[in-house]
Amino acid sequence: MKKTVLKKMEELYGDANGAKVYFAPGRVNMIGEHTDYNGGHVFPCALTIGTYAAVKKRADRKLRFYSMNLEKLGVIESSLDDLKPSDAADWTNYPKGVMWAFAERGMKMDCGLDIVLNGNIPNGSGLSSSASLEVLTGFYLRDLFGFDVTNVDLALIGQYSENNFNGMNCGIMDQFASAMGKKDHAIFLDTADLSYQYAPLVLDGAKIIVTNSNVKHSLVNSGYNTRRKESEQALADLQKVVEIKSLGDLTEEEFEANKSAIQDAVCAKRAKHAVYENQRTIRAVEALKANNLKEFGELMNASHVSLRDDYEVSCDEIDVLVEEAWKVDGVIGSRITGGGFGGCTVSIVKDEAVEAFQEKVGAAYQARVGKTADFYVVEIGDGPSIVE
Ligand code: GLA
């Protein structure tokens, strides 16, 4: 990958003298979905796939971006004096948003950059290609301009830019997983205060399989922002009867005792998911620590049902993938992962069933949906790095 991006840089911009190559990972979330903006827990891990960039400083204030994944768009030019979102800027709104967010915090770049990007996360698959791009940008800005920020700051700046520059009101999970990833570990993060623990996720006799429905989660912006508003409405109603800061403060029992305060039936379903999913996530991590993979899998399955029925962020194609996965012997758990409305599922599958899983789920998906599913047996990797 290093050679490929450097070669492209030479080809496009004349030379790659003094360029450095950087990497930031995508993520998969094991459990704890749509809890991160509700003050709950999440349990994601960084992947070994992600986004790479060759970057070099310029003498002027120009910015030149090129993505090897979107070659048709060619070189997209901009300038440090024009850090505003625009349709024409297309995907470069993500790196530009991060540059803008640094500047907002008083960390101003003193020269422009030439950038060539190449990623191996399938776009729009729910494996956080955008968060990896944001964390990657923050990571190379810190390295090249000496900005004094921690990796947690990189996550927060990425989220801030996505919320305020790109209009997607995402939580902190994806950027946190990318910036703070640790090989062979998942991150048990409490989004209420950003406290976290790493939990080993080397499964004895089983693999983590990500299945891509190849349905791009295009509704993600609108549908996502609506879910967020519905959760906030439910919280506001509940706050009239209980003293809580977020839905993550409630146990299932407390929710059941107070849910009648929620005026709207749809908002009540959303809140139910947020509360129960948070508790499931806490329990799932306990189960994992106790080596009880069976219970972990059952909680993953329950998470899917709740996301399908109460939070309503699944879709027919994803439901087929999950239902078919549940039928295969040796599948410990399977659920939708990420923002939803398409994208991927995550499954834990016993070693001896990995092949059968891909064959059976792939064939059933083709037969029932008429589409091809892609399977990745994923490895859990580290956070961002300079590629030597
Ligand atoms: C998207 C968002 C995250 C999180 C998930 C759902 O990936 O970016 O912040 O809310 O959806 O769990």
Side-chain angles (χ1 to χ4, degrees), residues 27 29 32-37 168 170-174 224 338-339:
R27 66 96 188 89
N29 187 25
E33 216 69 80
H34 290 277
T35 47
D36 65 345
Y37 50 85
M168 160 76 172
C170 62
I172 189 65
M173 170 170 74
D174 305 347
Y224 186 96

Side-chain angles (χ1 to χ4, degrees), residues 191-216:
T191 63
D193 59 7
L194 294 191
S195 58
Y196 64 94
Q197 281 169 29
Y198 289 109
L201 195 61
V202 198
L203 304 173
D204 204 7
K207 298 266 182 301
I208 300 170
I209 303 188
V210 168
T211 306
N212 190 351
S213 67
N214 288 310
V215 177
K216 293 219 165 140

Side-chain angles (χ1 to χ4, degrees), residues 103-123:
E104 286 273 288
R105 285 169 164 71
M107 292 176 273
K108 300 214 158 102
M109 300 158 64
D110 55 15
C111 69
L113 297 171
D114 280 343
I115 298 158
V116 172
L117 233 99
N118 197 356
N120 48 16
I121 307 174
N123 255 345

